[in-house]
Amino acid sequence: MSRLDTRPMPAPSAGGPRSPSRFTRPGWGALITVLVLGGMAVHGVSRLDLSPERLLNAPARTWDFLSRGFPPATDRIPNLAEAMLETIEMAIIGTALGVLFSLPIALLAARNTTPHSWVHVAAKSLLTVMRSVPDLVWAMVFVVSVGLGPIAGILTIMVDTIGFAGRFFAERIEELDRGPIDALRSTGATRLSVMACAVIPTAFPSFTGTSLYCLEKSVRGAAVLGLVGAGGIGVELNVAFQLRQFDTAMTIIIMILVVVLLAERLSGVARKRMLDGGASVR
Amino acid sequence: MNRVTSATHSTRALDTAAGGMIGVRGLAHRYPDGTQALDGIDLAVATGEAVVLLGHNASGKSTLLKALTRLIEPTAGAITLDGTDVIAAGPRELRDVRRRVGTVFQSINLVDQVSVLSNVIHGSLGRQSSPRNWFAWMAATDTRDEAMECLERVGLAPFAARRADQLSGGQRQRVAIARVLMQRSRIVLADEPVAALDPRAGREVMDLLWRIVTEEKLTLVCSLHQLELAESYGDRVVALKNGRLLLDGRIGDLSRDDLAALYTVDVAPAGDTR
Ligand SMILES: Nc1ncnc2c1ncn2[C@@H]1O[C@H](COP(=O)(O)OP(=O)(O)OP(=O)(O)O)[C@@H](O)[C@H]1O
Ligand SMILES: [Mg+2]
């Protein structure tokens, strides 16, 4: 064009796509949700029985616990170490069993590998129940069914791990690249073979990562299962608090801290070794 | 060049469907999002014939090749492969048909986390669905030997123990060809087998595929973008445009106008019928 076009720009409404407005008013649903949550918080605080005397006494009582806790008791360390070992072993056995069982359940639960939509719903619901009931509640149930001790603890950790790992495995399986799966299907392989040869190997790095994380989580969880009698160091912790032997309690707390940190470190190192760090963005 | 009209193509399909290796009639596929990727495809391929499938990007080539063995479930139409009605086949029959059809994919689908040898052995799963064939270390000795022979034929025997993701693109595609060999199929469907490769590796892979197809007297349908490759490897050209059959004829008869028609894409993708 040789001449400048001096006609005014057409108004946006006249033609051309309009960009969406920048802000949208939150819907009624969001508003009601915020009001309900806020109301519950206010109501909860009003029922807390926050007497001034209680608040004033708290620092002194905490100080009492700390001053009696230090120096931590050393006389019972051999016994406590044994209980700690039991805790770690409970975590390892429970996690191993849990990871083992969560794999087939995940294959039944993932939409792309399930044999039937009903099985998908059933497996998913099972995982939801296992995950949603808190582990201390599972522990109480298992203490009732198999009695006090580490077996109840192992079962608790197993169920907790299945609920967690099963869900993550299933989600991972659902988002797998379909390429290798199609390649196996195209050879005439059975569904089972496709799962064994394409699904599991391609999802394997993510499975190992999740399993290591579960182990970490189980060590932490196993430490408190003894509070309801499901074996491990938690039993000792419970007794120490009830007898107000705060120096022993402090020893146990420090031991738990060390073991949990160690577990985190070890699983971090193992993850790095196995997954060779993944793709660098540097 | 035979410009396809509804009259000629349907009669052609009827003529050759009887003794042919691949017979397709009225094949259509619509993706769940509404994209009509294939629309009324009729095709008949005789035993031992090599067909080159041409078409612009998104014309439906990959969808067609996957729909033939129901890796993608067609929404309409009839398919016969090697005498078997694919659409009517039950799960067991379908696996048997797939066993007889080797597929080489555009996206070079290997299982990256296992060895090259395991990937080749996977080709035998349609014949012997034994868990021993899941991984190379579990497989029977004669299965391993056969897989090694297949690797030898694609020139990759020294790489058998490597993890599949430690090969170059061209090597990976040759492993996929070795897997097809292991399958002992009668038909090969190759979806732009050289799309991800440089010209020289592409030539090598095509030469290899072509040699195997002629040696084993296989029936081939191979989609390609490179016309010069199409000229050296195909007897016959079938072209798709927007999910419909546009051309079907001898490769030498292809005119400039035909090509122009093939690669001018309509502004509105006609495949999208929403
Ligand atoms: N999974 C999918 N869901 C929805 N639409 C799809 C899907 N896969 C492909 N399509 C669409 O179907 C049409 C045909 O795609 P297809 O992959 O068969 O084309 P193609 O001829 O193989 O293209 P190219 O040459 O790029 O490989 C395209 O419009 C594409 O966007
Ligand atoms: Mg394609």
Side-chain angles (χ1 to χ4, degrees):
Chain A
M1 219 189 298
S2 55
R3 271 176 37 200
L4 270 178
D5 192 348
T6 52
R7 281 171 305 172
M9 289 270 288
S13 56
R18 274 173 59 179
S19 71
S21 69
R22 292 168 192 273
F23 304 102
T24 45
R25 191 181 57 82
W28 288 110
L31 201 64
I32 290 171
T33 311
V34 169
L35 283 178
V36 168
L37 291 178
M40 279 165 77
V42 171
H43 176 241
V45 169
S46 73
R47 291 185 16 141
L48 275 182
D49 183 23
L50 282 170
S51 62
E53 142 199 31
R54 229 177 145 166
L55 287 177
L56 287 176
N57 279 340
R61 290 194 190 168
T62 312
W63 175 248
D64 179 44
F65 168 71
L66 287 175
S67 61
R68 291 214 272 149
F70 284 101
T74 49
D75 51 327
R76 297 204 50 234
I77 282 188
N79 286 352
L80 295 180
E82 209 180 308
M84 197 69 232
L85 189 67
E86 185 180 85
T87 311
I88 298 170
E89 287 166 356
M90 271 165 47
I92 293 174
I93 299 171
T95 311
L97 289 175
V99 167
L100 214 66
F101 286 120
S102 63
L103 199 58
I105 298 179
L107 287 168
L108 296 178
R111 231 171 262 115
N112 51 339
T113 50
T114 190
H116 196 277
S117 60
W118 290 0
V119 180
H120 158 75
V121 172
K124 264 226 135 128
S125 315
L126 180 71
L127 290 175
T128 307
V129 171
M130 287 177 154
R131 196 176 55 243
S132 309
V133 176
D135 55 349
L136 280 180
V137 176
W138 279 121
M140 292 196 272
V141 172
F142 286 125
V143 164
V144 170
S145 47
V146 301
L148 291 168
I151 298 184
I154 289 173
L155 290 176
T156 303
I157 291 168
M158 185 185 87
V159 167
D160 208 42
T161 303
I162 294 176
F164 183 83
R167 177 194 168 174
F168 272 77
F169 290 176
E171 282 174 1
R172 179 70 193 114
I173 291 168
E174 281 176 359
E175 67 198 17
L176 285 182
D177 180 18
R178 57 176 309 141
I181 296 175
D182 274 351
L184 263 291
R185 291 208 295 153
S186 79
T187 66
T190 58
R191 294 169 67 114
L192 187 68
S193 295
V194 176
M195 288 188 214
C197 298
V199 173
I200 292 180
T202 47
F204 195 74
S206 153
F207 289 172
T208 7
T210 307
S211 304
L212 285 170
Y213 177 69
C214 283
L215 186 63
E216 247 173 70
K217 190 162 111 51
S218 301
V219 170
R220 206 172 311 136
V224 294
L225 291 182
L227 295 180
V228 296
I233 193 89
V235 180
E236 303 283 347
L237 192 63
N238 201 12
V239 171
F241 267 108
Q242 269 171 9
L243 301 179
R244 301 185 74 77
Q245 293 169 343
F246 292 148
D247 51 348
T248 308
M250 191 57 77
T251 314
I252 297 170
I253 291 171
I254 293 171
M255 286 173 93
I256 292 175
L257 192 71
V258 169
V259 168
V260 169
L261 287 180
L262 229 73
E264 278 182 15
R265 265 326 264 279
L266 280 178
S267 94
V269 169
R271 213 189 317 265
K272 246 195 202 135
R273 280 274 166 90
M274 276 190 239
L275 312 180
D276 22 273
S280 168
V281 293
R282 254 174 296 155
Chain B
M1 174 55 81
N2 187 6
R3 185 157 288 260
V4 176
T5 64
S6 54
T8 58
H9 72 169
S10 55
T11 45
R12 193 190 160 99
L14 285 173
D15 290 344
T16 28
M21 199 51 129
I22 301 175
V24 172
R25 200 168 329 148
L27 188 66
H29 181 73
R30 189 188 185 87
Y31 281 103
D33 67 356
T35 311
Q36 188 79 41
L38 294 176
D39 195 4
I41 302 289
D42 292 325
L43 183 67
V45 181
T47 307
E49 203 173 9
V51 174
V52 172
L53 188 59
L54 292 179
H56 57 83
N57 284 130
S59 58
K61 303 181 296 294
S62 297
T63 307
L64 172 61
L65 292 174
K66 286 187 186 160
L68 286 179
T69 51
R70 281 172 59 193
L71 293 175
I72 289 176
E73 203 65 57
T75 36
I79 303 171
T80 325
L81 292 180
D82 195 13
T84 307
D85 181 344
V86 178
I87 300 293
R92 182 178 293 265
E93 240 181 318
L94 181 61
R95 284 202 301 273
D96 187 56
V97 173
R98 285 178 179 166
R99 204 276 298 156
R100 287 178 274 152
V101 182
T103 310
V104 179
F105 295 90
Q106 183 172 5
S107 47
I108 317 184
N109 299 333
L110 299 184
V111 181
D112 283 339
Q113 290 77 7
V114 302
S115 69
V116 166
L117 189 62
S118 293
N119 270 284
V120 178
I121 289 176
H122 289 166
S124 69
L125 279 166
R127 290 185 277 125
Q128 318 166 317
S129 128
S130 148
R132 292 192 65 186
N133 292 345
W134 288 351
F135 300 100
W137 59 270
M138 302 198 291
T141 311
D142 51 348
T143 311
R144 287 170 61 100
D145 290 347
E146 188 183 342
M148 281 308 293
E149 270 168 43
C150 297
L151 271 178
E152 181 77 55
R153 285 180 71 182
V154 302
L156 287 177
F159 294 91
R162 278 234 202 151
R163 250 175 72 130
D165 58 359
Q166 293 170 352
L167 297 184
S168 75
Q171 291 169 331
R172 286 161 59 76
Q173 198 59 297
R174 273 146 68 194
V175 174
I177 293 173
R179 181 171 59 196
V180 168
L181 273 173
M182 190 71 186
Q183 210 173 317
R184 298 188 198 154
S185 55
R186 315 234 303 140
I187 301 174
V188 173
L189 305 178
D191 187 9
E192 291 182 49
V194 300
L197 311 181
D198 68 45
R200 194 169 138 218
R203 271 278 168 194
E204 279 169 15
V205 165
M206 279 310 294
D207 280 340
L208 179 69
L209 190 63
W210 189 244
R211 196 166 66 235
I212 285 164
V213 163
T214 39
E215 276 171 15
E216 310 275 326
K217 299 188 176 57
L218 304 177
T219 305
L220 173 73
V221 179
C222 177
S223 74
L224 284 174
H225 272 310
Q226 302 86 336
L227 286 172
E228 69 283 5
L229 285 183
E231 282 165 1
S232 14
Y233 299 106
D235 312 334
R236 175 176 156 201
V237 174
V238 167
L240 291 182
K241 182 169 184 177
N242 295 326
R244 290 167 191 273
L245 216 61
L246 182 72
L247 303 167
D248 185 345
R250 303 266 111 212
I251 221 149
D253 304 340
L254 211 60
S255 75
R256 277 184 157 278
D257 286 351
D258 290 330
L259 290 178
L262 186 50
Y263 283 102
T264 42
V265 185
D266 304 347
V267 177
D272 197 350
T273 53
R274 275 170 304 170

